[in-house]
Amino acid sequence: MKTISYGVLIFNEQGQLLLAHATGQKHWDIPKGGAEPGESARDAALREVREETGIELAPGSLQEIGHLSYHARKDLHLFRAQVNTQDCDITACRCTSFFPHHVSGAMTPEVDQFGWVDLADVPALAAKSMTALLRRLPGFEAMP
């Protein structure tokens, strides 16, 4: 059975995508994760953004992209949001979602860095599965 992650593609006024570096991994990713019991897709996506970045998005600011096949074990339900960098300072982003480190057991933030990324640079940073999914979306066709 496939799991579903809920996430948001957050863009700034220059058309750059917000990516977060997955702690201990090579890749960068969008804010996303699973829903809590009884949580709507929109609420899950908003909570994941808040937990992984500290960014508070208004529910009405999300444009639904929909449910997409991601890989063999997971699908994504995505939304899109537009923010202005004057109102969204990513140097203030903080992840409040933690996991136990595989070696030390210390509670570790899920993500440890944040960046505005030009679409042309996404394939060099994101996992191949995320890059492939994004290439299927309108507006990403020109991404290398």
Side-chain angles (χ1 to χ4, degrees), residues 90-106:
I90 63 168
T91 63
C93 283
R94 297 291 177 266
C95 180
T96 60
S97 181
F98 294 82
F99 68 95
H101 189 271
H102 70 280
V103 175
S104 70

Side-chain angles (χ1 to χ4, degrees), residues 112-131:
D112 59 9
Q113 294 179 59
F114 307 90
W116 291 114
V117 177
D118 292 326
L119 295 185
D121 296 328
V122 169
L125 298 170
K128 289 179 184 177
S129 55
M130 178 57 68
T131 300

Side-chain angles (χ1 to χ4, degrees), residues 35-39:
E36 307 267 328
E39 196 172 38

Side-chain angles (χ1 to χ4, degrees), residues 5-135:
S5 282
Y6 302 87
V8 182
L9 303 176
I10 303 173
F11 291 92
N12 67 17
E13 68 276 12
Q14 283 98 33
Q16 295 172 309
L17 180 64
L18 178 67
L19 291 182
H21 179 257
T23 303
Q25 303 294 318
K26 180 182 133 191
H27 69 273
W28 292 63
D29 206 347
I30 63 167
K32 64 177 174 41
E36 307 267 328
E39 196 172 38
S40 72
R42 183 176 301 267
D43 289 343
L46 289 167
R47 180 183 47 74
E48 286 295 331
V49 168
R50 184 174 56 254
E51 288 177 359
E52 292 187 4
T53 69
I55 296 171
E56 292 278 349
L57 296 172
S61 71
L62 298 187
Q63 174 187 21
E64 188 158 6
I65 295 171
H67 188 104
L68 304 161
S69 179
Y70 186 41
H71 58 64
R73 295 180 318 277
K74 185 185 287 188
D75 286 347
L76 296 182
H77 191 117
L78 295 180
F79 296 85
R80 176 187 175 106
Q82 183 78 34
V83 298
N84 189 305
T85 51
Q86 290 179 326
D87 304 323
C88 183
D89 177 11
I90 63 168
T91 63
C93 283
R94 297 291 177 266
C95 180
T96 60
S97 181
F98 294 82
F99 68 95
H101 189 271
H102 70 280
V103 175
S104 70
M107 293 307 286
T108 306
E110 287 185 35
V111 297
D112 59 9
Q113 294 179 59
F114 307 90
W116 291 114
V117 177
D118 292 326
L119 295 185
D121 296 328
V122 169
L125 298 170
K128 289 179 184 177
S129 55
M130 178 57 68
T131 300
L133 178 132
L134 293 175
R135 284 186 177 129

